[in-house]
Amino acid sequence: DIQMTQSPSSLSASVGDSVTITCQASRDISKFLNWYQQKPGRAPKLLIYDASNLETGVPSRFSGGGSGTDFTFTISSLQPEDIATYYCQQYDTLPPRLTFGGGTKVEIK
Amino acid sequence: QVQLVQSGAEVKKPGSSVKVSCKASGGTFSTYAINWVRQAPGQGLEWMGGSIPLFGTANYAQKFQDRVTITSDESTSTAFMELSSLRSEDTAIYYCARDRRQLSLGVAFDTWGQGTMVIVSS
């Protein structure tokens, strides 16, 4: 199975800061990479699919990039409501296999 | 807008089985895969498997291959996940989640159930 290494595991930043999370795959996964936000006590929410596509209704301060083995997720201007844990997730389709990164907990300084 | 509503919390003994349901409403059921993802207390997310109701067959993560069964009932738009031979490490929140594209399985999940807490304890 493909392993996803996500970093950092936690970060603290001020409101308005730009925040970047990285995810590294153990082998080339092209652009088969998604990003989710999970707030405490809630189900995850899809933010970015296929590395860089913003899901409908998601604010434009969220963005994703990368391909192959190295991916980034950026919040351009951190807001108080962005406090959450963020997960990357890769997928294979033949056969279906998917794995999540370990998560990054984002807090306000 | 599709909604997924899961069954309530369960407390089970080690060695027993649990069956969690996930009822869809407000959209097409048969052609969108329902996946199951679990989250142990304070831990990350783990995909267990999924199924496209139209086709009936399921795909499972290797870790759960021998213990999980995912089924669906198109007449009630309900998906089920049954996990057998429960052990304490199976204590977790179990989520159902729908793939965002028709006829794709285990790609990206745009709709999630509220989660079902399963506690395994003697």
Side-chain angles (χ1 to χ4, degrees):
Chain A
D1 283 359
I2 297 171
Q3 306 303 313
M4 303 302 296
T5 303
Q6 189 174 338
S7 61
S9 57
S10 66
L11 65 88
S12 181
S14 300
V15 172
D17 282 355
S18 177
V19 166
T20 296
I21 298 167
T22 65
C23 210
Q24 186 170 60
S26 57
R27 64 168 175 84
D28 190 331
I29 58 169
S30 184
K31 291 201 168 191
F32 299 157
L33 191 285
N34 308 314
W35 292 94
Y36 295 83
Q37 174 193 65
Q38 186 179 31
K39 296 184 178 182
R42 305 291 297 274
K45 176 186 176 182
L46 180 65
L47 300 180
I48 303 283
Y49 64 93
D50 294 342
S52 60
N53 296 289
L54 198 65
E55 178 69 346
T56 304
V58 173
S60 59
R61 65 180 181 275
F62 297 101
S63 65
S67 65
T69 60
D70 296 302
F71 300 86
T72 59
F73 171 82
T74 299
I75 307 173
S76 61
S77 177
L78 188 67
Q79 300 301 303
E81 61 267 31
D82 300 336
I83 299 315
T85 300
Y86 294 84
Y87 293 92
C88 63
Q89 172 243 311
Q90 69 80 28
Y91 63 93
D92 273 331
T93 54
L94 292 170
R97 291 284 185 269
L98 70 92
T99 51
F100 291 90
T104 297
K105 187 174 184 179
V106 174
E107 297 175 319
I108 297 284
K109 197 181 289 184
Chain B
Q1 181 93 11
V2 175
Q3 279 194 310
L4 300 176
V5 178
Q6 299 182 223
S7 50
E10 304 262 12
V11 179
K12 293 293 183 179
K13 300 283 188 192
S16 67
S17 298
V18 67
K19 191 170 187 177
V20 180
S21 68
C22 171
K23 184 173 176 59
S25 62
T28 304
F29 178 72
S30 298
T31 56
Y32 287 86
I34 297 292
N35 298 265
W36 291 88
V37 176
R38 78 176 188 180
Q39 186 170 38
Q43 302 301 307
L45 303 166
E46 186 172 33
W47 180 73
M48 301 177 69
S51 173
I52 300 173
L54 180 67
F55 301 144
T57 55
N59 288 90
Y60 303 113
Q62 275 193 305
K63 175 177 178 178
F64 301 101
Q65 186 84 35
D66 296 334
R67 294 199 295 139
V68 70
T69 304
I70 293 171
T71 57
S72 56
D73 180 347
E74 289 185 75
S75 69
T76 60
S77 298
T78 303
F80 301 92
M81 184 282 300
E82 184 169 21
L83 186 63
S84 63
S85 302
L86 289 170
R87 35 214 190 225
S88 58
E89 310 89 89
D90 295 318
T91 293
I93 298 173
Y94 290 77
Y95 293 102
C96 60
R98 195 184 86 151
D99 263 285
R100 66 183 300 278
R101 287 196 195 102
Q102 293 192 76
L103 304 180
S104 66
L105 192 158
V107 174
F109 310 145
D110 67 346
T111 306
W112 294 68
Q114 82 277 20
T116 296
M117 183 74 215
V118 174
I119 296 171
V120 182
S121 173
S122 55

